[in-house]
Amino acid sequence: MADANTDGRPETVTDRADGGTAPGGTAPDGAALKEAGLRLEVAGAVATVTLDRPERRNAMTFATWRGLAAIGRSLPADVRVVVLRGAGPSFSAGIDLGMFSGEGGGGGFTDGSDAAGTDRFIAELQEGYTWLRRPEIVTVAAVHGHAIGAGFQLALACDIRVVADDARFCMKEPALGLVPDLTGTKPLVEIVGIGRALELCLTARTVHAEEAARIGLAEISVPRDGLDGAVQDLVTALLAVNPGAAVATKRLLWGAPGNSLDEQCAAERREQIGRLREVFGR
Ligand code: ACO
């Protein structure tokens, strides 16, 4: 990482002179990150979020999703790229199965009898994922080993997936009697199409790296020992692009699937007017 403090440590949000706060939220402190099973490093324009419970294959709890949401709310304004990665042998084994029996930490599991309360509860957890689509940042999932259930959905919530050749994706929720509800169904359908999405979810089968690359789940596929280097190269390339153009283009591209051709043409004109004013305006 490029920037470091005078003592040589990478700069983290909690190290920042402004106390780690940015418009919209207070950065989670070290204790909150630890409880969430997360690590956060911010080095200039790049934030790296590491799922950091390798002894549990980075299984995620409610605290993890709340921690991700808090990171999203408090990200310094000058961060342009966010990398999500997993410590140890896997990206993430999904939800901490102990939570179903109340052993996984972060409070008990809802039985859904209070529909409105459950709706609010899940919406709060989904906030851990939705910020990854903000146009101000480009998000990169660096996936190795297993990406199961909530872990697969986290990779799907990112803009770009860089995948090691040992990666294995599995949408396990239907096999457990549940649906994927951490924002993954929309990007999955948009990436692989409805038929393939149905087949993957309703069989809960494992997709290996080679197939993931073939069906569009991975933009970049590399040998396991090349993952960090490939992510670094991608980040360097992303940062080389004009920041304002990157924000406007991400907004444009993510808006495209929901727009008619006329609406998208209008959106292109609108964004370009903004760019022209910034690039050529006096
Ligand atoms: N929740 C809690 N603990 C987990 C989880 C999990 N999701 N996944 C792994 N662990 C724990 C194991 O219990 C084990 O603990 P132990 O050392 O105390 O026995 C440790 O992590 C290592 O797991 P292993 O199974 O020994 O590791 P291995 O590399 O052989 O297998 C794998 C990894 C394939 C991920 C396997 O652990 C697994 O299938 N986990 C469950 C995956 C799952 O069903 N997730 C839920 C998806 S649905 C959703 O996310 C909403």
Side-chain angles (χ1 to χ4, degrees):
M1 300 247 169
D3 294 355
N5 294 321
T6 47
D7 61 2
R9 287 178 302 127
E11 185 187 45
T12 66
V13 164
T14 45
D15 289 322
R16 296 180 72 85
D18 63 2
T21 55
T26 304
D29 61 18
L33 286 170
K34 192 168 167 43
E35 191 202 343
L38 297 170
R39 201 150 28 93
L40 173 65
E41 292 169 309
V42 178
V46 183
T48 302
V49 181
T50 304
L51 304 168
D52 196 21
R53 293 179 76 207
E55 73 288 355
R56 283 276 168 272
R57 300 298 182 264
N58 303 324
M60 296 188 269
T61 65
F62 299 141
T64 312
W65 298 318
R66 290 189 177 112
L68 287 170
I71 289 171
R73 281 194 298 271
S74 61
L75 213 55
D78 52 357
V79 167
R80 293 183 54 200
V81 177
V82 178
V83 176
L84 276 105
R85 55 189 292 279
S90 288
F91 181 72
S92 172
I95 194 170
D96 189 317
L97 293 170
M99 298 219 301
F100 293 127
S101 56
E103 294 161 8
F109 222 78
T110 171
D111 66 3
S113 53
D114 170 9
T118 306
D119 184 87
R120 279 194 302 276
F121 177 68
I122 297 174
E124 183 198 348
L125 303 182
Q126 289 170 332
E127 281 176 31
Y129 288 56
T130 48
W131 65 274
L132 295 160
R133 286 291 163 76
R134 283 204 318 243
E136 293 76 21
I137 50 175
V138 183
T139 52
V140 177
V143 181
H144 73 287
H146 291 95
I148 302 177
F152 188 2
Q153 294 189 70
L154 188 61
L156 285 166
C158 291
D159 295 315
I160 300 171
R161 283 154 294 281
V162 185
V163 165
D165 57 8
D166 69 343
R168 295 165 201 192
F169 296 93
C170 173
M171 201 64 91
K172 188 79 173 284
E173 286 84 345
L176 301 176
L178 302 170
V179 298
D181 66 347
L182 290 168
T183 79
T185 55
K186 185 170 167 63
L188 183 65
V189 169
E190 286 171 352
I191 292 169
V192 303
I194 180 74
R196 179 64 67 200
L198 277 165
E199 184 260 330
L200 292 183
C201 292
L202 299 190
T203 63
R205 76 171 170 89
T206 297
V207 177
H208 292 255
E210 182 275 325
E211 182 185 2
R214 187 159 37 82
I215 66 178
L217 284 171
E219 278 67 39
I220 300 169
S221 177
V222 291
R224 173 70 188 91
D225 63 3
L227 185 62
D228 290 346
V231 169
Q232 187 54 56
D233 289 349
L234 174 63
V235 168
T236 301
L238 290 168
L239 292 178
V241 168
N242 175 288
V247 173
T249 304
K250 176 169 170 180
R251 196 162 41 219
L252 205 48
L253 293 177
W254 274 118
N259 281 343
S260 67
L261 181 57
D262 281 351
E263 289 166 339
Q264 188 66 9
C265 288
E268 289 178 358
R269 297 193 297 272
R270 201 166 49 243
E271 293 289 5
Q272 197 68 304
I273 290 167
R275 298 314 311 142
L276 291 167
R277 284 182 179 159
E278 184 167 322
V279 176
F280 299 112
R282 278 182 279 267

